[in-house]
Amino acid sequence: MAMSMPHQIGALSGTPLTAETGGLSGEVPTKGSAATSAMWRTPMTNLRVSVQKTGADVDRVSPSPPLSPLRGGMRPDLSVACQALMEAPVEVAVEREHKLGNSPEKGKGVPVFVMMPLDSVKMDHTVNRKKAMNASLQALKSTGVEGIMMDVWWGLVERDAPGEYNWGGYAELLEMAKKHGLKVQAVMSFHQCGGNVGDSCTIPLPRWVVEEMEKDPDLVYTDQWGRRNFEYVSLGCDTLPVLKGRTPVQCYSDFMRGFRDRFENLLGDTIVEIQVGMGPAGELRYPSYPEQDGTWKFPGIGAFQCYDKYMISSLQAAAESFGKPEWGQTGPTDAGHYNNWPEDTNFFRKEGGGWDSQYGEFFLTWYSQMLLNHGERILKSAKGIFEDKGVKISVKVAGIHWHYGTRSHAPELTAGYYNTRFRDGYLPIAQMLARHGAIFNFTCVEMRDHEQPQDAQCAPEKLVRQVALATQEAQVPLAGENALPRYDDYAHEQILQASSLNIDDQSGDREMCAFTYLRMNPDLFHPDNWRRFVAFVKKMKEGKDVNQCREQVEREAEHFVHITQPLVQGAAVALMH
């Protein structure tokens, strides 16, 4: 019996993922608008996704930092299968040139990128599963995909010593993408990979950075109970020379400059976007909902991360300036624990909660402004480094949709997004990005309100709508990602609707400037999933005209899968020997 497509394409991740997650985000519109319904709805039954956790399946519906592919099992020789894929005739969808954030044909389609596996480049600076990677890129190109998104890990490239960069595997992977005519979104990943539920790919921060953290644990985010989070250097020390004589922002800048100098010949042609990592999971946020060791579980409210000495020092200065020095000694002490719900706490409860007091406004303004300042510093540097290089700059914001229907929006507040029923927290972020000409990249685009636990007042559609309105007001391009791996038509339809940005009568021809599909793994190449994905890519490229040719798109997708079926079967036979 022929093996399944996931195995044929080369067990890109060793074994298929049961679930994988992306990022989050959050903040609400103006007063009273949080309850407004989004316009994107298509009925579907509840969908729950399982993530592997110490041998047992745990129900989840929440997005979280991306999970790497699970390792294990034998990897068969892929040479014959890859050769077949490389030589096979395929129908390539008619392509249009898309410029991120500046499409020449407004209302004429959204380019689709596909996220690469987290471990696409190994610790020995070589491409992981090279033959399978090559074959898979060829397959993606054949569908009309615009390009790929790849993490460029700080902890891998500058691993051993400050200022010593090894771009080895990335040079090879970028050339591979160029050969197949695929564009690249390169993510400057300044965070740790691994440490979350299901992660088997671990890429820590550079060794010399970890050494400094061990000497001074206050270099990392800290909660009120003294728990340290080593995923990302605390933004409290952004401007202090705490990393072998350099500030963290200087380290990020030098890294980006090194990337620019090494790959300058590919900028603007193959490399079309630089996404700048600004926190855990590469997102502009605090690590308020860490899954490691079961600290946080969906839909907990998370916890504030402002208790390292550098953050407290800043808080003290802000409190002194405000005329309330007693407010600078600590963050809120009545905000509950990671897995509480808003009404369990004095700070987040709807009636008389501290969040809606003078103290709450002071603290939340400071906490969120620190995050905005962090983004501002890094964006200013990135803009200078990549100016006139033909690439767009983007920033990812997390889609924190749980407890969105409450007044306080507690999970968004602990993550650093000052978004409540009475305050739009996403507009300041969009305005900050606008000042630097950056793209607002947002997740959970595939989710529907009714799929989520209603007792937790989850509202991903309303959240996406709010972000779309904020980016429209700030005149910032909006790009999207799915937060969980989804291969069903319901999720695809939701993405299509959301990417069209039909949010009001004035939306006109505005669409998302790009969409990144999470993620390239064995499940994507399953025949049924592949057929749906082929149709999805074409519909996205057709944009707002898709309804005029939906049946034709479906027929073309079926034809595409049909003509490649013998190839797939031949690859399966090759893999069995």
Side-chain angles (χ1 to χ4, degrees), residues 465-504:
R465 183 179 188 276
Q466 183 192 345
V467 168
L469 288 169
T471 57
Q472 179 174 284
E473 181 174 343
Q475 297 185 321
V476 168
L478 177 61
E481 294 181 5
N482 50 313
L484 294 170
R486 292 276 297 270
Y487 309 101
D488 56 284
D489 288 331
Y490 296 106
H492 290 166
E493 181 62 29
Q494 181 68 11
I495 294 168
L496 283 161
Q497 293 296 325
S499 65
S500 69
L501 298 182
N502 288 325
I503 53 177
D504 57 28

Side-chain angles (χ1 to χ4, degrees), residues 317-439:
E320 289 279 356
S321 177
F322 193 74
K324 294 281 188 178
E326 65 274 19
W327 287 354
Q329 303 307 308
T330 180
T333 56
D334 58 351
H337 292 263
Y338 285 98
N339 294 309
N340 282 143
W341 285 33
E343 290 305 308
D344 297 335
T345 75
N346 287 326
F347 190 79
F348 294 119
R349 67 187 183 188
K350 63 182 180 181
E351 297 291 349
W355 65 276
D356 200 22
S357 66
Q358 185 186 32
Y359 165 75
E361 182 179 1
F362 159 77
F363 173 79
L364 294 170
T365 298
W366 167 80
Y367 189 68
S368 61
Q369 189 60 48
M370 288 288 283
L371 189 65
L372 287 169
N373 292 346
H374 175 65
E376 192 98 44
R377 292 186 195 104
I378 300 177
L379 267 183
K380 182 178 179 181
S381 174
K383 182 179 179 181
I385 291 168
F386 293 105
E387 199 164 21
D388 300 324
K389 297 300 178 182
V391 297
K392 295 289 184 179
I393 305 294
S394 70
V395 173
K396 187 154 115 177
V397 178
I400 304 176
H401 61 82
W402 51 102
H403 301 297
Y404 183 89
T406 63
R407 294 182 185 178
S408 65
H409 292 236
E412 293 165 77
L413 298 184
T414 58
Y417 306 148
Y418 191 179
N419 193 54
T420 69
R421 180 162 296 182
F422 312 123
R423 187 182 188 279
D424 187 344
Y426 296 101
L427 183 57
I429 297 174
Q431 291 169 333
M432 183 266 289
L433 298 180
R435 287 193 290 274
H436 301 281
I439 294 169

